[in-house]
Amino acid sequence: VDSKENTRLTSHYAEYHRDSEYTLLEENPVFVQLDSSGHEETRIVGKTMESLAGGERISVDQEVVITHKDIRAVCGHADYDRSQEKIVLTKEPVAYQKQNRLAGKKIELHLRERTVTEVHVIEQAVAEFVADSSADASRPNTISGQKLIAYIEGDFVEKIDVTGTATCVYYVVENGVDKGMNRTHGDSMTLFLLANNIRRIILNSKPGKSTGKFLPPGHALPGDTAAKKAEQKKVAEKKKDTRPSP
């Protein structure tokens, strides 16, 4: 227990090395960080855990689960550098925030005053955003590229920078009515969001490298099986709703 930093490390088995300030924790290791009022704000669990430099760095292996306020992340390995305020996730990392999902080769959670303000997704970066609770969760807006940085303000992502074969597929819904789908592609792009809705996209590409395509409802891009299935489901439900009662 570190009362100064409001942190707690527990497990069923632990080895403490006083000289090197190193602790090995096994059998249900748990790291908990509390806020100033004593409420839990961060929890990290895994199969094995190491506390380095007197708890300044925490390394976790296998079946890692990190919860921080409304963010939940899973991976095979994680390193939390408390002095740098950064958590690095590797080995198939995935991060969730509300109905949003981010995945890639590596994910970095950047904190400011112990609150996540940026999420960096590095290599094969993919972000899926559902506009709100009334939106079709089977058709999330999808953003992909080699690197993606999501900037969080309050409870929502407000801006996303994407570099390296940047692609965005998003659905246009007005007053609950599906208007179609937009696909935008370029070398890099910046997206501005409001309450999880994409409001503006700025493309940065060499001449001829940027493309954009709009598809009306009922159409899908080649290979977009998720969109096809969602559309088929929609049509089937519509037929069911209009079927005369016996």
Side-chain angles (χ1 to χ4, degrees), residues 19-205:
D19 294 341
S20 59
E21 293 188 298
Y22 168 83
T23 305
L24 171 67
L25 301 101
E26 296 179 332
E27 299 178 21
N28 195 32
V30 179
F31 168 86
V32 172
Q33 191 166 44
L34 309 175
D35 62 19
S36 57
S37 61
H39 295 103
E40 182 176 309
E41 64 179 7
T42 302
R43 172 180 287 259
I44 305 175
V45 301
K47 284 284 188 180
T48 62
M49 189 176 296
E50 295 174 289
S51 172
L52 307 150
E56 279 299 302
R57 289 182 288 125
I58 303 295
S59 182
V60 195
D61 258 321
Q62 300 181 53
E63 299 178 19
V64 182
V65 179
I66 300 168
T67 53
H68 173 83
K69 299 179 181 179
D70 66 347
I71 294 174
R72 181 177 180 272
V74 297
C75 62
H77 180 84
D79 290 299
Y80 181 14
D81 189 326
R82 292 167 58 198
S83 63
Q84 297 294 319
E85 289 200 286
K86 183 169 71 173
I87 305 174
V88 179
L89 297 78
T90 54
K91 297 184 179 178
E92 300 181 351
V94 182
Y96 303 90
Q97 191 249 359
K98 297 188 184 338
Q99 296 188 80
N100 307 328
R101 176 182 180 274
L102 297 98
K105 286 284 187 180
K106 180 168 74 171
I107 294 177
E108 297 178 355
L109 304 179
H110 291 249
L111 300 91
R112 185 181 303 130
E113 297 179 355
R114 297 180 16 172
T115 297
V116 174
T117 56
E118 296 180 14
V119 180
H120 296 212
V121 187
I122 302 163
E123 288 189 52
Q124 300 177 18
V126 177
E128 296 177 348
F129 289 82
V130 177
D132 53 48
S133 58
S134 64
D136 187 350
S138 68
R139 298 197 314 168
N141 297 322
T142 304
I143 304 155
S144 62
Q146 279 304 300
K147 183 177 181 180
L148 181 153
I149 302 176
Y151 302 88
I152 301 173
E153 183 65 37
D155 294 332
F156 294 99
V157 173
E158 65 170 8
K159 187 177 80 167
I160 300 174
D161 287 329
V162 192
T163 56
T165 319
T167 303
C168 175
V169 175
Y170 67 98
Y171 297 91
V172 181
V173 179
E174 295 179 2
N175 299 320
V177 179
D178 183 8
K179 296 295 184 179
M181 178 181 70
N182 268 312
R183 184 184 189 276
T184 307
H185 175 83
D187 292 331
S188 64
M189 67 175 69
T190 298
L191 302 97
F192 296 90
L193 297 88
L194 180 63
N196 262 17
N197 288 285
I198 297 171
R199 294 302 185 188
R200 185 159 60 104
I201 299 176
I202 298 175
L203 281 167
N204 298 300
S205 298

Side-chain angles (χ1 to χ4, degrees), residues 136 138-139 171 224-237:
D136 187 350
S138 68
R139 298 197 314 168
Y171 297 91
D224 190 354
T225 55
K228 288 178 181 177
K229 287 181 180 178
E231 190 61 37
Q232 288 170 357
K233 181 181 177 182
K234 232 171 132 184
V235 171
E237 288 176 349

